[in-house]
């Protein structure tokens, strides 16, 4: 089993090469250690203890459960469960926003896929892109604007 850190570093090295073709990425989903790293990433999140549609939490994860996920991915029988829809209050006002709560197994697989895709695509993003990226946020965008903004003729606001 390859060390997950080495796997992700290897993917990242090739992310700047536009002509590079990644091959057999699906087999990365068979690496148990990648799931353990993903588990470390999601375990500390507050939402990890929320029961999914399968009535399980991330807290009940085990090597055996990870192996079952990998076996189902190998034999192509893995089926993600539908997310449970909950409505939570917004911080301001009385409005509520929808929130999808995935099953614990799906959260783990999603995190593994996120780690792989981030390693592949992060190097090709613009330095001016700040949304949903590691070490980037609306605060880093504001800092960049403060340093480089010289004026504008129009603004577009989006949500």
């Amino acid at each position: 089993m390859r060390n997950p850190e080495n796997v992700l570093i290897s993917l990242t090295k090739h992310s700047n090469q536009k002509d590079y073709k990644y091959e057999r990425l699906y087999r990365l989903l068979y690496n148990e250690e990648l799931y353990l790293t993903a588990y470390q990433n999601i375990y500390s999140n507050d939402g990890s203890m929320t029961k999914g549609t399968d009535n399980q939490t991330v807290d009940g994860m085990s090597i055996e459960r990870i192996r079952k996920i990998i076996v189902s991915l190998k034999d192509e029988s893995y089926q993600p469960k539908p997310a449970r829809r909950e409505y939570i209050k917004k911080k301001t006002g009385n409005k509520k926003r929808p929130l999808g709560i995935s099953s614990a197994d799906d959260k783990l697989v999603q995190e593994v896929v996120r780690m792989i895709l981030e390693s592949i695509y992060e190097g090709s993003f613009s330095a001016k892109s700040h949304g949903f990226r590691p070490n980037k946020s609306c605060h880093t965008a504001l800092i960049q604007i403060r340093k480089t903004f010289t004026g504008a003729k129009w603004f577009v606001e989006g949500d």
Side-chain angles (χ1 to χ4, degrees):
M1 212 58 58
R2 288 179 59 198
N3 179 332
E5 189 174 323
N6 293 341
V7 170
L8 298 175
I9 287 170
S10 174
L11 293 173
T12 302
K13 284 180 184 176
H14 298 293
S15 68
N16 292 328
Q17 301 170 3
K18 293 186 181 197
D19 294 335
Y20 185 82
K21 288 189 177 185
Y22 293 94
E23 295 179 357
R24 300 182 296 221
L25 286 174
Y26 193 77
R27 70 182 182 164
L28 293 177
L29 296 175
Y30 307 154
N31 186 335
E32 281 181 26
E33 292 183 33
L34 206 54
Y35 287 87
L36 296 174
T37 302
Y39 176 75
Q40 287 177 333
N41 293 346
I42 63 174
Y43 180 76
S44 61
N45 294 344
D46 292 336
S48 68
M49 292 306 164
T50 305
K51 290 183 179 180
T53 52
D54 58 356
N55 232 10
Q56 294 183 359
T57 65
V58 174
D59 191 39
M61 195 56 63
S62 66
I63 291 292
E64 192 55 42
R65 197 161 147 193
I66 289 171
R67 287 182 180 145
K68 285 180 184 177
I69 293 170
I70 292 171
V71 167
S72 68
L73 287 166
K74 280 182 179 179
D75 68 16
E76 298 180 5
S77 65
Y78 178 80
Q79 290 291 317
K81 293 171 182 58
R84 189 176 82 230
R85 177 72 74 180
E86 294 287 331
Y87 289 89
I88 59 172
K89 276 189 162 187
K90 289 186 174 183
K91 289 182 181 178
T92 57
N94 291 332
K95 292 186 178 182
K96 291 185 175 184
R97 68 178 181 88
L99 178 68
I101 301 172
S102 301
S103 73
D105 291 352
D106 292 344
K107 286 179 189 178
L108 190 65
V109 173
Q110 288 167 8
E111 177 62 13
V112 169
V113 171
R114 185 204 59 80
M115 290 166 37
I116 293 168
L117 292 177
E118 186 175 274
S119 296
I120 292 170
Y121 290 108
E122 183 61 31
S124 63
F125 288 140
S126 166
K128 295 178 176 121
S129 171
H130 292 267
F132 300 100
R133 294 185 55 205
N135 304 316
K136 300 271 189 169
S137 66
C138 58
H139 300 290
T140 60
L142 289 171
I143 290 168
Q144 184 175 7
I145 289 169
R146 187 178 303 138
K147 289 179 180 178
T148 61
F149 185 70
T150 58
K153 293 182 181 179
W154 49 268
F155 281 97
V156 175
E157 183 181 349
D159 185 22

